[in-house]
Amino acid sequence: MGPTRKPTLAVYKFSSCDGCQLSILNLEDELLDFANTIEIAYFLEARRRVLTGPYDIGIVEGSVTTEEEIQRIKEIRRDCTTLIALGTCATAGGVQALKNFGDVTQFIETVYPNPEFIQSLPTSTPISEHIKVDLELWGCPVNKYQVVEIITALLQKRRPFIPQYAVCLECKRRGNTCVMVAKDVPCLGPITQAGCNAICPSMNRGCYGCFGPLPSAEIDAFLPHVKEKERYPGEAVRMLRMISGNAPAFCDAAEILLKEEA
């Protein structure tokens, strides 16, 4: 009997800063362990060798912002048995989804000296808007240990354990004083899914919602409180529209505040 075939893994980049792929590379020792369990078949940021598909597990970092990416993600879906959207760009459109709330043509003309060479869709959209996604892992960047958990769970054929509680709980575990209460700083921690270990509140800054909306959060009830802490007009809307601004729950919350201000 021949050796058992290792499951194959492919990692793809779309429109993004590469931060989530770097989080995978930062695993170092864990990657060496994975190398004994899975075949890293396609991961251009980590190795030049490319094995042809199809692949058992596909990981996609980045959002869809061009016509070419729409076609490419459909091809990737056909090549991968299980597909994971990695990071807030892939799950919600990311920071580049700021253009969804403005005039992309004006942005391009302002930024680029030769805008005629830029080919971009008017919106930045998550992977799930174009194909079926099997698993989503939020974060900007992702928590590298959650990457280990989600791949391990797939290999063990079990449900991955990803925190389903707010950043506030992480603050409590770190012994942080609430920045909203003690410092009058607006913070999205009460409505944001945990995963970052409360990095920003630990530095006396408010949470910017990098890990996306907490599904169980009472966002409507929270809005008056974050609005009350604004240090300048419209700050709460800017926070909601920043990292995970294209996520429907944050998008709707920002619209509510805008209507109240009108």
Side-chain angles (χ1 to χ4, degrees):
M1 179 180 292
T4 304
R5 184 185 73 86
K6 292 181 182 179
T8 51
L9 171 70
V11 181
Y12 303 92
K13 170 184 165 57
F14 277 60
S15 295
S16 64
C17 71
D18 283 35
C20 290
Q21 288 188 74
L22 289 174
S23 292
I24 298 176
L25 293 177
N26 285 339
L27 285 166
E28 298 175 343
D29 293 342
E30 291 84 354
L31 268 182
L32 293 176
D33 292 336
F34 271 136
N36 296 321
T37 309
I38 60 178
E39 185 72 59
I40 301 177
Y42 182 93
F43 190 179
L44 297 183
E45 193 149 327
R47 65 191 311 179
R48 289 185 298 173
R49 189 187 69 161
V50 174
L51 302 180
T52 57
Y55 307 109
D56 296 299
I57 302 172
I59 295 177
V60 179
E61 177 202 47
S63 64
V64 175
T65 62
T66 67
E67 289 287 351
E68 179 186 7
E69 287 178 334
I70 292 177
Q71 299 306 314
R72 183 170 171 240
I73 194 59
K74 293 176 181 177
E75 295 170 2
I76 290 172
R77 175 70 272 187
R78 290 193 292 267
D79 283 344
C80 298
T81 302
T82 300
L83 192 69
I84 303 168
L86 185 75
T88 302
C89 289
T91 55
V95 175
Q96 55 269 32
L98 284 168
K99 70 177 182 177
N100 297 11
F101 309 110
D103 183 348
V104 69
T105 302
Q106 183 181 359
F107 294 155
I108 292 173
E109 291 175 349
T110 301
V111 173
Y112 297 97
N114 298 105
E116 66 272 17
F117 297 132
I118 305 300
Q119 296 180 351
S120 176
L121 295 170
T123 57
S124 172
T125 48
I127 301 301
S128 61
E129 192 161 315
H130 304 275
I131 55 151
K132 177 182 180 294
V133 171
D134 299 297
L135 292 165
E136 292 186 333
L137 193 61
W138 290 69
C140 184
V142 289
N143 182 320
K144 62 182 182 179
Y145 299 113
Q146 289 186 2
V147 177
V148 172
E149 166 61 17
I150 206 167
I151 294 177
T152 301
L154 285 173
L155 296 176
Q156 296 175 347
K157 302 185 185 304
R158 63 172 174 82
R159 184 191 300 272
F161 173 74
I162 303 297
Q164 296 293 314
Y165 46 79
V167 171
C168 294
L169 183 54
E170 293 181 313
C171 269
K172 293 297 183 184
R173 287 173 172 170
R174 295 192 62 167
N176 294 340
T177 301
C178 178
V179 295
M180 288 190 74
V181 174
K183 300 182 181 298
D184 284 331
V185 173
C187 177
L188 299 184
I191 60 172
T192 298
Q193 185 165 294
C196 66
N197 199 26
I199 294 175
C200 290
S202 298
M203 299 296 174
N204 294 318
R205 298 182 300 178
C207 168
Y208 291 95
C210 297
F211 277 69
L214 178 68
S216 60
E218 296 289 343
I219 296 181
D220 289 358
F222 170 75
L223 291 181
H225 299 285
V226 71
K227 179 70 176 174
E228 180 186 3
K229 303 296 182 181
E230 284 189 339
R231 293 164 293 187
Y232 58 85
E235 183 177 15
V237 171
R238 287 177 177 267
M239 292 177 69
L240 287 163
R241 282 186 168 179
M242 191 180 295
I243 307 294
S244 306
N246 196 48
F250 281 179
C251 220
D252 292 344
E255 288 297 324
I256 290 172
L257 291 179
L258 286 172
K259 288 179 181 178
E260 290 177 353
E261 294 170 2

